Amino acid sequence: MPESTEPITPKAIDPIKYTIFYGTFIHTPTLSNLEINLFTLVGIDQNGTIDFIYKNNNQITNEDELKKTFIRKRNESNNNKIELQDITFINYSKDLSKFFFPGFIDTHIHASQYPNIGVGLGVPLLDWLKEYTYPVENEFSSPVTKFEFAKLIYSKVIARTLSNGTTCASYFTTIDLDTTKLFADLLLTYGQRGFVGKVCMDHNDVYEEYEESESDCIQSMNELINYCNEINPKSENLIKPIITPRFAPVCSSSLLNTLGSMSKKYNLPIQTHISENLEEIKLVKKLFPESEGYAEVYNEAGLLNNRTILAHAIHLTKKESNLISEKQCSISHCPTSNTFISSGEAPIYKYLNKYNINVSLGTDVSGGFDSSILQMIKFSILVSHHLSMKKNKSTDEEEDVRLSLSTALYMATMGGAKAVGLQDKIGSFDIGKKFDAQLIDLSSKNSNIDIFNWHIPNFKDNEEENFKKIKDLLGKWVFSGDDRNTTKVWCNGRLVIDKS
Ligand SMILES: [Zn+2]
């Protein structure tokens, strides 16, 4: 493991000192709004919460004066006063190739499949599960070796995603409870915000050794819910269990119904797969003949609501799209996975703009070959370009279905926050939200991006010109950048990755 990905917080409870960051802050608070704030002061309090934002003030160049101005303005609007000696001041404003961006949110990732990244190119979903996925997931149930195996894999995947700027992820583990608990421990060790999804599946015709009974599944889920409550530091609330029926083909109606009730009883979010592959859809029709379609199977079990994340959703019918919109579920778009195992191209522009469905991004490790949400931003745009090129101009609607850079950045942050039900806590830089953030340095050591002088905004440029230059830099980051440009990562206000 690279040195920089070792955990630097032994538990996510280290005290935080009031910190003021001064620099460029970029985010997408709404779908159509890319906001760029140069020379901005952001105060993070001892709870890791954004306490104060003071935008666009490059007229004060003296650092001491800047600190005093900040404290005066901040104390005018807050009864809980702070003093100069209480704060740490960190200035990134001098280098405009550095900027803050909200931490990425990965709304669909299988932690247990991490060793299979890059393996199984082009094998269709149902064969891919049988040949690659179930065997590796079954290793986490092996009585003798499972803890050692799980610790190795789960530590790597958390470290790697954090290093890529993912501050929150909704994970699938396996059916095994013990190693799922270990995974929850590791999230706290590394300080990443995470949803812990013990996979639920009560039959598996193609790999019979990997299944559980409904009663075992329910007992494990109850234990997991209690365990997460116990270990979660109260002030942090970093981890949460998530109800995770794997997908309809391996769950009985009875199990789906029980999981629907459980989510209601404990007020828990839900994640599953839907309409990824045409053969899978046929199988669901065969297994649930009384249901009108795939989405209806989940709806009848009480599994569709505004806390449900549906991964893939490539081949939805109009009726299903309307149902998902009406139930306010979110879609997790997984463009690399959909391309790697040839599942198809999800019509994301249509879901966002015609059906008004919230869409987020998922790496879908290891159907997806990359654990970086930055890469998902890039590939979601490229997949939409392919859809646009394939469009039959004479029959399709005239609208341009290509996703813009700001739409894709939104899906990676605020779209993800909405999907996991944390839109009031993370996803953008707003007062009262937690500071889940990454510092991007386009000129970092060994960066794959070369920046030339004329790319960098300067004080003399007007606002419009600066905005255009930063937008171009964002394009460079998304299309040529990688984890080398993510130099620091904060989760809940705590520095969890520092490569400097
Ligand atoms: Zn998946």
Side-chain angles (χ1 to χ4, degrees), residues 3 41 89 142 158 197 242 244 251 290 353 444 446 455 466 496:
E3 218 176 288
L41 288 154
F89 183 87
S142 167
I158 297 169
I242 181 165
T244 306
C251 298
E290 67 289 354
N353 296 290
S444 63
N446 299 326
H455 290 131
N466 274 339
V496 290

Side-chain angles (χ1 to χ4, degrees), residues 12-222:
I13 49 170
D14 290 358
I16 303 169
K17 196 175 175 199
Y18 195 106
T19 305
I20 301 169
F21 294 108
Y22 183 43
T24 302
F25 286 78
I26 302 175
H27 66 164
T28 48
T30 61
L31 184 58
S32 52
N33 181 16
L34 173 68
E35 203 179 288
I36 296 169
N37 293 302
L38 298 169
F39 305 105
T40 292
L41 288 154
V42 174
I44 314 300
D45 72 14
Q46 295 88 341
N47 299 314
T49 304
I50 299 174
D51 176 55
F52 192 82
I53 299 177
Y54 179 25
K55 291 178 185 171
N56 305 320
N57 48 100
N58 61 338
Q59 55 287 54
I60 310 173
T61 47
N62 179 302
E63 207 169 287
D64 277 341
E65 204 188 321
L66 203 57
K67 282 187 230 176
K68 284 177 192 156
T69 308
F70 174 88
I71 290 176
R72 197 189 66 245
K73 278 184 170 285
R74 187 264 177 206
N75 284 350
E76 276 167 12
S77 61
N78 198 316
N79 290 331
N80 181 18
K81 310 291 179 210
I82 51 166
E83 303 296 333
L84 196 56
Q85 67 269 19
D86 301 333
I87 63 160
T88 302
F89 183 87
I90 303 177
N91 188 352
Y92 292 113
S93 70
K94 287 170 193 150
D95 181 352
L96 290 175
S97 67
K98 287 191 174 93
F99 59 91
F100 287 93
F101 198 77
F104 290 138
I105 299 164
D106 185 345
T107 57
H108 187 73
I109 173 165
H110 299 261
S112 50
Q113 295 173 19
Y114 185 65
N116 279 354
I117 272 192
V119 173
L121 174 67
V123 178
L125 175 70
L126 299 178
D127 299 322
W128 177 83
L129 285 167
K130 184 180 168 185
E131 286 173 40
Y132 298 99
T133 307
Y134 294 141
V136 76
E137 287 193 25
N138 202 32
E139 290 291 317
F140 292 80
S141 299
S142 167
V144 184
T145 56
K146 68 178 184 179
F147 285 108
E148 199 185 334
F149 186 71
K151 193 168 180 209
L152 174 73
I153 306 306
Y154 288 159
S155 300
K156 290 250 182 204
V157 69
I158 297 169
R160 181 66 63 195
T161 50
L162 268 180
S163 180
N164 277 305
T166 299
T167 49
C168 176
S170 193
Y171 286 104
F172 283 56
T173 57
T174 69
I175 61 172
D176 185 69
L177 174 66
D178 296 332
T179 49
T180 298
K181 285 180 177 173
L182 173 67
F183 179 73
D185 292 342
L186 288 167
L187 284 174
L188 292 179
T189 304
Y190 282 81
Q192 188 181 45
R193 195 184 297 284
F195 289 79
V196 183
K198 189 210 87 75
V199 170
C200 297
M201 51 192 282
D202 62 348
H203 62 90
N204 185 359
D205 296 343
V206 298
Y207 200 90
E208 282 172 356
E209 47 278 55
Y210 188 59
E211 63 176 35
E212 59 187 341
S213 68
E214 183 182 339
S215 59
D216 282 349
C217 178
I218 302 313
Q219 197 186 330
S220 295
M221 278 308 298
N222 280 320

